[in-house]
Amino acid sequence: MEDLDLSQIDPLRRAEVRRRVEVLDRYLRITLPTTADAAVHAGQIGISVAQFYRLAQAWRIHRDPKLVGAGKRGGRRVRRDGVPSSAKRIVSAVMDDLGAEASQQDISREVARRCQGARIPTPSRGAMWTYIMDARATAPIRDDEPNRVVVGRLWVKLPTAHGGNSVFPQIALAVLLPDRLVLGLDVSCEHRRKASASMALARAFASMPSELDDVEIVIDPGDADDVAAVHLARLGTMPRPSKTSVSRLLSANLGRRLGGLVLMHRGHSSKTSGLLQARANSAVDCGTARAEIERAARAHNEILAEMRSAKI
């Protein structure tokens, strides 16, 4: 099969796209295909003969994988949360006043107080979480804070094959604050192997200019031994474990997405099976997962670079 550009196809559906392309190419290689041939090949894809004829013609002319019919997990659903626009304006105002890094509890408490004062319904806890996480991802870049590199772990909602099952990959990220740039990362697709904080930090150091050598490194206490050698080699000191929650810092600055991939701040907050129920979906291999995560980090950094350029 020719090399296909599947970069615009959902990673979970690329295997199904390849399979459908093989079916279409087998059919198109038949010199004088009959209706029976079309029926057999249509059945292999799971569509009617009439649909198959249209699909085969489109594939023969354009050879565009997006036309094969498995490029998206489904149309984006519009969730009607019943929250009045006036309440949403209050949420935005509170986020502006308290800052996106404020705790969800503090933001929710202030939103409830203002909504009660205005005699309008207070958004639900789920709606509040969505608003807060989205606001964190798009908040303006702050210039009034010292540089810090936060090193911690998250999970990516991308089912990845491992040992006959599937897992959500864990990633160790080194994020420069307040810029929110991802400077380094490491990926683990194995249940028992943590993503390496030291590798993420080493890659961050490799990409950092020398003027950032006085930057504070924020790490979890449990990672102090892991990053000690890397920290000592670059900064000449041993790392000091953070007294604040690294997970909360990452959550407050990245929100719920990284370059289009959904982030999870707890490893067991959902199961891979829910995303693999659709027939067209299949778990990706670890190499694909790693490539997708690295692509997402680059896209995330490019968006932030555009935000900073627009601010200047």
Side-chain angles (χ1 to χ4, degrees):
M1 184 190 300
E2 67 188 78
D3 289 337
L4 296 174
D5 180 7
L6 301 180
S7 59
Q8 301 302 310
I9 304 297
D10 187 320
L12 297 186
R13 300 205 163 189
R14 289 176 186 170
E16 175 63 12
V17 167
R18 291 190 184 95
R19 189 189 72 81
R20 292 186 181 194
V21 167
E22 290 175 355
V23 172
L24 289 165
D25 283 343
R26 282 200 303 271
Y27 174 78
L28 292 173
R29 284 195 295 268
I30 300 174
T31 304
L32 293 173
T34 64
T35 302
D37 292 325
V40 169
H41 289 78
Q44 291 174 357
I45 292 180
I47 58 179
S48 69
V49 173
Q51 290 173 317
F52 182 79
Y53 279 136
R54 292 193 294 271
L55 179 59
Q57 183 179 20
W59 178 247
R60 179 176 59 82
I61 295 171
H62 302 289
R63 298 195 70 81
D64 182 352
K66 294 193 295 294
L67 299 176
V68 174
K72 296 181 179 179
R73 298 181 199 178
R76 183 178 294 240
R77 293 176 295 176
V78 177
R79 180 173 295 174
R80 304 185 185 280
D81 52 22
V83 179
S85 57
S86 53
K88 294 178 181 178
R89 286 194 292 271
I90 287 177
V91 173
S92 297
V94 170
M95 296 289 288
D96 289 341
D97 292 344
L98 299 186
E101 224 176 297
S103 71
Q104 181 172 347
Q105 183 179 12
D106 290 342
I107 294 172
S108 299
R109 185 185 299 115
E110 179 61 17
V111 168
R113 187 186 69 79
R114 296 189 191 186
C115 285
Q116 290 170 4
R119 296 186 177 181
I120 57 177
T122 301
S124 68
R125 182 177 179 181
M128 281 296 304
W129 182 87
T130 299
Y131 299 154
I132 291 170
M133 296 298 275
D134 287 346
R136 287 170 172 173
T138 58
I141 297 172
R142 303 175 300 278
D143 293 319
D144 57 349
E145 296 183 7
N147 288 319
R148 294 176 292 168
V149 173
V150 179
V151 184
R153 294 182 182 85
L154 301 170
W155 287 261
V156 179
K157 208 166 189 178
L158 180 63
T160 301
H162 171 65
N165 296 306
S166 60
V167 299
F168 289 128
Q170 186 187 70
I171 55 174
L173 290 177
V175 180
L176 177 65
L177 299 182
D179 295 62
R180 305 202 299 274
L181 294 171
V182 176
L183 299 183
L185 62 84
D186 184 59
V187 180
S188 173
C189 306
E190 302 176 20
H191 277 298
R192 293 182 174 84
R193 187 183 77 81
K194 287 185 177 181
S196 172
S198 62
M199 184 63 72
L201 182 58
R203 288 169 176 162
F205 281 151
S207 67
M208 282 168 49
S210 58
E211 55 264 27
L212 286 179
D213 276 355
D214 62 345
V215 69
E216 178 189 2
I217 308 299
V218 181
I219 59 169
D220 269 323
D223 288 326
D225 291 340
D226 182 29
V227 306
V230 173
H231 193 283
L232 181 62
R234 177 64 181 257
L235 303 180
T237 61
M238 295 298 288
R240 290 184 299 175
S242 174
K243 295 181 180 179
T244 60
S245 169
V246 171
S247 177
R248 178 175 292 181
L249 273 175
L250 288 176
S251 172
N253 283 279
L254 295 179
R256 58 178 177 151
R257 292 183 183 273
L258 180 74
L261 293 179
V262 177
L263 298 174
M264 299 184 300
H265 298 273
R266 290 181 295 174
H268 304 289
S269 57
S270 61
K271 296 181 179 180
T272 60
S273 56
L275 292 176
L276 299 176
Q277 289 178 348
R279 185 173 65 88
N281 288 359
S282 59
V284 302
D285 59 54
C286 190
T288 298
R290 183 176 288 106
E292 285 298 312
I293 292 166
E294 291 173 348
R295 178 206 58 78
R298 290 193 298 270
H300 167 84
N301 288 348
E302 288 168 2
I303 292 171
L304 290 173
E306 291 174 2
M307 289 173 58
R308 183 168 286 282
S309 297
K311 183 178 178 181
I312 296 176

